Amino acid sequence: HRLIRRQRQMCIRDRETTASLPQLQAAVDALRSDIQSLRDELASLEAAPAGTGPRNSASTLKVAYVDLTGLMDEMFQSVQNTVSFKNQELQDLRQKHESGEIDDETYQKESMSVEVELLAARLNWDLGLIDKMAASPEFSELKHSLQELREKLQPLQDRLGELKSAADQGDLNTFISLYQQLSTPLQQLDQLVSQVIQAMLADIAQEVAQAQGYALVLRKENALYLDESKLADLTPQVKARVPELFSP
């Protein structure tokens, strides 16, 4: 396993598959602009002197918060559980190897197999979310970009199959090369999918807040100080609308 890890660090090449990911970035940036508008509103409220209008009055200003990080963690809990389980398998294999329970060849082959399963879990999760988003009216503005991205991710699936074959055959050199080609773009894909969903959750939070007359909504994880007992928590209402994101 130490050999695999050392070789990964040395193999910084074959990045051509990353070219498929920026196709969706422009659409993500457009969604994130909505978040920026909320931040701008917060900045203007903080900068305005007291008494400049009724919205700055402590008696009338309605402020709430939403735990977007908590919602994201909950939504991605399933794949995170799988990743944690596979990482524990790798740790168990390493301990068995170090204690002499398994030989070098067995350790290498079984470790590569688990590494393949780790990448497969992440890739299949992302592809599943992309398919659901492309089919959902909530992502209608991104539908074309999502469909194009889905098609351009086919090489990742093909190389995952090649990676599995290399692991089954115990071909370490081929495995390391293919692993490097997969791991970097897959990490970028993880980040991109998360950004899209987080931006949509922020949009939902904004809609909920506007419908109920809130002047300001804070992200719980970004607040320097937040007294939950004095502010409304919109997280349950945003969570209740999450199924809308993936309803065809």
Side-chain angles (χ1 to χ4, degrees):
H1 188 71
R2 288 192 294 271
L3 175 59
I4 295 175
R5 184 168 60 249
R6 183 166 63 253
Q7 289 290 341
R8 289 180 196 157
Q9 296 171 348
M10 297 174 61
C11 296
I12 307 176
R13 63 181 185 272
D14 300 321
R15 303 295 181 85
E16 67 275 9
T17 55
T18 62
S20 62
L21 300 179
Q23 300 296 322
L24 193 59
Q25 191 63 55
V28 175
D29 291 340
L31 285 172
R32 294 176 67 183
S33 67
D34 291 334
I35 303 175
Q36 186 59 49
S37 67
L38 290 175
R39 292 173 178 166
D40 293 341
E41 182 180 353
L42 171 59
S44 64
L45 286 170
E46 292 176 339
T52 57
R55 288 178 64 83
N56 290 309
S57 169
S59 61
T60 59
L61 184 65
K62 291 185 65 177
V63 181
Y65 70 90
V66 61
D67 184 4
L68 291 186
T69 297
L71 284 175
M72 290 290 293
D73 289 344
E74 188 172 340
M75 290 177 64
F76 285 78
Q77 188 63 54
S78 175
V79 69
Q80 288 302 323
N81 287 343
T82 300
V83 168
S84 296
F85 179 77
K86 293 301 176 183
N87 281 329
Q88 183 61 51
E89 281 192 59
L90 288 174
Q91 183 176 339
D92 292 343
L93 283 171
R94 182 167 58 252
Q95 291 175 348
K96 289 180 179 179
H97 180 244
E98 292 174 350
S99 66
E101 292 183 50
I102 56 177
D103 58 27
D104 292 348
E105 183 179 353
T106 300
Y107 170 65
Q108 177 178 296
K109 190 171 183 178
E110 292 190 7
S111 294
M112 287 193 293
S113 178
V114 176
E115 292 279 12
V116 173
E117 293 170 357
L118 256 173
L119 290 185
R122 292 166 53 198
L123 179 58
N124 291 335
W125 174 262
D126 287 339
L127 292 177
L129 285 180
I130 290 172
D131 288 340
K132 290 178 180 179
M133 288 188 287
S136 170
E138 293 294 325
F139 294 90
S140 58
E141 295 181 359
L142 297 176
K143 183 174 183 178
H144 182 67
S145 296
L146 288 166
Q147 290 175 334
E148 283 190 340
L149 176 63
R150 184 64 173 82
E151 293 175 0
K152 292 179 179 180
L153 290 174
Q154 184 61 44
L156 291 183
Q157 291 181 287
D158 295 339
R159 292 192 179 186
L160 184 64
E162 296 172 10
L163 186 71
K164 185 178 185 306
S165 295
D168 292 341
Q169 296 168 12
D171 186 347
L172 181 60
N173 291 333
T174 300
F175 180 89
I176 292 172
S177 177
L178 289 170
Y179 187 95
Q180 181 61 39
Q181 294 176 35
L182 276 166
S183 60
T184 298
L186 183 54
Q187 183 178 14
Q188 294 176 343
L189 179 62
D190 288 341
Q191 295 171 350
L192 190 57
V193 170
S194 295
Q195 288 172 3
V196 173
I197 295 178
Q198 192 166 127
M200 293 302 295
L201 290 176
D203 279 351
I204 290 177
Q206 182 176 355
E207 292 172 6
V208 170
Q210 289 176 338
Q212 299 183 22
Y214 286 95
L216 178 65
V217 177
L218 302 170
R219 286 189 59 161
K220 182 178 181 180
E221 56 271 28
N222 290 343
L224 294 177
Y225 172 74
L226 191 151
D227 187 341
E228 297 182 24
S229 66
K230 297 181 180 178
L231 297 177
D233 181 6
L234 300 185
T235 307
Q237 297 178 56
V238 175
K239 178 181 177 181
R241 291 185 53 183
V242 166
E244 298 176 14
L245 296 179
F246 307 109
S247 298

